[in-house]
Amino acid sequence: MFDCIIVGAGPAGSSTAYHLAQKGCSVLVLDKSSFPRYKSCTGALSPLVAQWFDFDFDFDPAIDRKLRRIRYTWKLGDEIASELQTQDPIWIVKRDWFDAFMVQQAIAQGITFQDNTTVTGVDFSNSHWTVRTPQETFQSHYLVAADGAEGPLAEWLGFSTPKLRQGAVFQIPTELPGEDAALNFEFGLLKNGCLWCFPQSQGYIMGGITFLGRNQPDYNSIFATYANSFGADSQLGQIYRHPLKLWDGNRALHTQQAVLVGEAGAIVDPLSAEGLRPGMYSGMKAAEAIHAALQGEADALASYTAAMHEWGNNIQWAQRIASVFFRVPGIGYRVGIKRPTMTTRMGQLLAGEIQYSDIANRVLKRLSTGFLPGRS
Ligand SMILES: Cc1cc2nc3c(=O)[nH]c(=O)nc-3n(C[C@H](O)[C@H](O)[C@H](O)COP(=O)(O)OP(=O)(O)OC[C@H]3O[C@@H](n4cnc5c(N)ncnc54)[C@H](O)[C@@H]3O)c2cc1C
């Protein structure tokens, strides 16, 4: 019998596993894929995450690029370029390599990892979980659903599913700019959403998501147009579609001896689609709660939900900004993105120096006064 079984070895699952093992718990992580495995994701990650692992290991081998330069465009024109003033640049990671690296860190702490193992059902009886796979069954005191946006665990555990938004990645091998490499963000080309393009070691990786509405974007032609603006041959590119479970308000993230972490719990920023950092944070918080529960602390899992609601109380402002910004992106670009302080604030948000709640009122006011004729 394991102390805990974690289903899913993405960043949220491996973060939970790492922290639980470090506290001396026995942990089994199961993943249906063969690792390293592909995950549709553009891989931008705040270096802030290193502190949650007490700088115990060096993330450098898992980082593909580090970037400070940011470029914004509106319908491929009206370009603004800027530099992040944060202490550390933003990391770009390749998810197959990064996720396998994080699993290795957890294995070094003593977890058991089994890939190629699809969880087909879970049952709770006699105060423990039974986890079924086609090959064998496993038992544990606690269960963690870390199976991402498309995994079945949340529904099996009785949680309702928030609306999924359709995202896509376009991976394109091409020559890259050297010194000039930047984090590129494009507004206006994708209705009700945005596009972004980051350099990786073998080409560009582009991402797109709609934050509002029900339209199904024609990603083939949108990415082709965006790729051409970088001088890349879109014929060489490959599209990977993947849904996103964006945060949609505070709700319980725990049930009887089980918790949801990462995207299984919709722990994804609804303004930026950032899921890596929040997922790893939720893993750390879930491990603290499960460890406390194993020590006999009553209501320990409720404290996990409470900790993530604190995160949610701040992130609700991101949701409010998104719901106004993506309705009137042209105004948003003019009165928000083009402001010289925009990149500074974005850097501070990524570095954890400020929170959405610190800037939301000003941003929302600016967006609403932007409607007024003659105001900018
Ligand atoms: C287009 C796009 C671009 C994105 N770009 C960024 C970005 O630049 N930066 C950022 O921070 N976030 C980004 N995200 C979000 C980010 O990719 C996710 O939020 C993040 O991967 C969630 O991590 P996770 O550990 O919760 O789940 P995942 O990484 O999805 O891992 C879940 C794991 O569970 C396994 N699994 C599922 N079902 C089962 C089962 N039944 N049995 C066993 N295993 C199972 C899967 O194989 C998988 O390995 C992007 C998302 C999309 C769609």
Side-chain angles (χ1 to χ4, degrees):
M1 169 95 65
F2 289 91
D3 287 331
C4 185
I5 294 178
I6 298 169
V7 183
S14 56
S15 169
T16 316
Y18 178 95
H19 288 101
L20 273 172
Q22 212 180 36
K23 294 174 199 306
C25 305
S26 60
V27 180
L28 172 66
V29 179
L30 301 171
D31 200 292
K32 65 178 181 182
S33 306
S34 172
F35 269 60
R37 60 96 178 87
Y38 184 82
K39 161 75 176 79
S40 309
C41 178
T42 45
L45 178 59
S46 164
L48 193 73
V49 296
Q51 68 180 358
W52 299 332
F53 297 84
D54 294 328
F55 304 97
D56 279 349
F57 56 88
D58 185 5
F59 277 84
D60 263 4
I63 301 167
D64 190 60
R65 300 287 281 249
K66 294 184 181 180
L67 296 172
R68 276 195 183 283
R69 200 170 142 73
I70 300 205
R71 223 179 117 254
Y72 310 100
T73 49
W74 169 257
K75 294 191 175 169
L76 303 180
D78 201 2
E79 178 180 324
I80 313 283
S82 192
E83 292 265 326
L84 280 174
Q85 300 303 322
T86 46
Q87 195 184 338
D88 297 307
I90 293 300
W91 299 345
I92 303 296
V93 301
K94 285 184 174 166
R95 287 294 305 277
D96 47 357
W97 182 240
F98 179 77
D99 290 15
F101 173 85
M102 289 306 299
V103 168
Q104 284 308 319
Q105 304 311 312
I107 290 172
Q109 295 295 325
I111 68 147
T112 305
F113 175 55
Q114 212 169 294
D115 59 354
N116 289 309
T117 307
T118 302
V119 171
T120 51
V122 295
D123 294 305
F124 185 75
S125 64
N126 299 325
S127 299
H128 71 267
W129 284 98
T130 298
V131 175
R132 291 193 300 277
T133 77
Q135 296 82 24
E136 52 189 314
T137 59
F138 303 93
Q139 262 100 41
S140 65
H141 297 292
Y142 287 84
L143 178 68
V144 175
D147 52 340
E150 293 181 298
L153 266 285
E155 198 183 318
W156 290 348
L157 294 173
F159 294 92
S160 58
T161 309
K163 189 172 171 333
L164 292 174
R165 306 224 59 99
Q166 206 46 245
V169 155
F170 191 55
Q171 194 106 35
I172 181 160
T174 186
E175 291 280 306
L176 292 172
E179 291 297 298
D180 220 20
L183 300 152
N184 299 282
F185 295 92
E186 157 57 35
F187 301 89
L189 202 58
L190 176 59
K191 195 172 171 230
N192 295 138
C194 69
L195 301 170
W196 57 99
C197 172
F198 306 150
Q200 284 185 337
S201 46
Q202 274 119 27
Y204 285 117
I205 185 160
M206 301 180 175
I209 178 179
T210 55
F211 292 89
L212 302 175
R214 291 172 192 277
N215 58 319
Q216 289 296 328
D218 177 2
Y219 277 119
N220 288 311
S221 76
I222 290 168
F223 278 134
T225 307
Y226 196 33
N228 290 341
S229 75
F230 291 91
D233 179 359
S234 60
Q235 302 288 332
L236 302 175
Q238 173 91 33
I239 289 192
Y240 302 88
R241 289 164 208 274
H242 199 281
L244 274 131
K245 241 190 213 179
L246 300 180
W247 183 90
D248 191 22
N250 283 345
R251 49 196 192 113
L253 291 167
H254 72 283
T255 178
Q256 182 87 50
Q257 289 172 225
V259 299
L260 309 181
V261 298
E263 207 163 333
I267 299 168
V268 180
D269 184 323
L271 176 61
S272 66
E274 184 192 13
L276 299 177
R277 175 171 55 148
M280 290 164 89
Y281 178 74
S282 69
M284 176 180 68
K285 288 290 162 193
E288 283 170 16
I290 292 169
H291 179 248
L294 283 162
Q295 303 297 304
E297 191 182 301
D299 296 333
L301 297 195
S303 70
Y304 166 65
T305 289
M308 293 317 298
H309 284 185
E310 267 179 46
W311 174 85
N313 291 343
N314 174 49
I315 223 74
Q316 64 166 318
W317 291 105
Q319 196 181 34
R320 286 182 198 174
I321 295 171
S323 69
V324 180
F325 182 95
F326 289 110
R327 247 176 214 109
V328 286
I331 292 172
Y333 193 77
R334 181 164 50 83
V335 303
I337 304 288
K338 286 181 80 171
R339 287 181 75 83
T341 50
M342 164 66 193
T343 302
T344 311
R345 298 279 173 269
M346 188 166 152
Q348 288 172 319
L349 281 167
L350 285 165
E353 291 164 11
I354 57 169
Q355 300 209 315
Y356 280 120
S357 52
D358 299 323
I359 56 163
N361 280 330
R362 247 175 303 153
V363 171
L364 291 169
K365 196 165 163 208
R366 213 161 275 141
L367 285 170
S368 52
T369 51
F371 287 116
L372 302 175
R375 298 290 294 272
S376 68

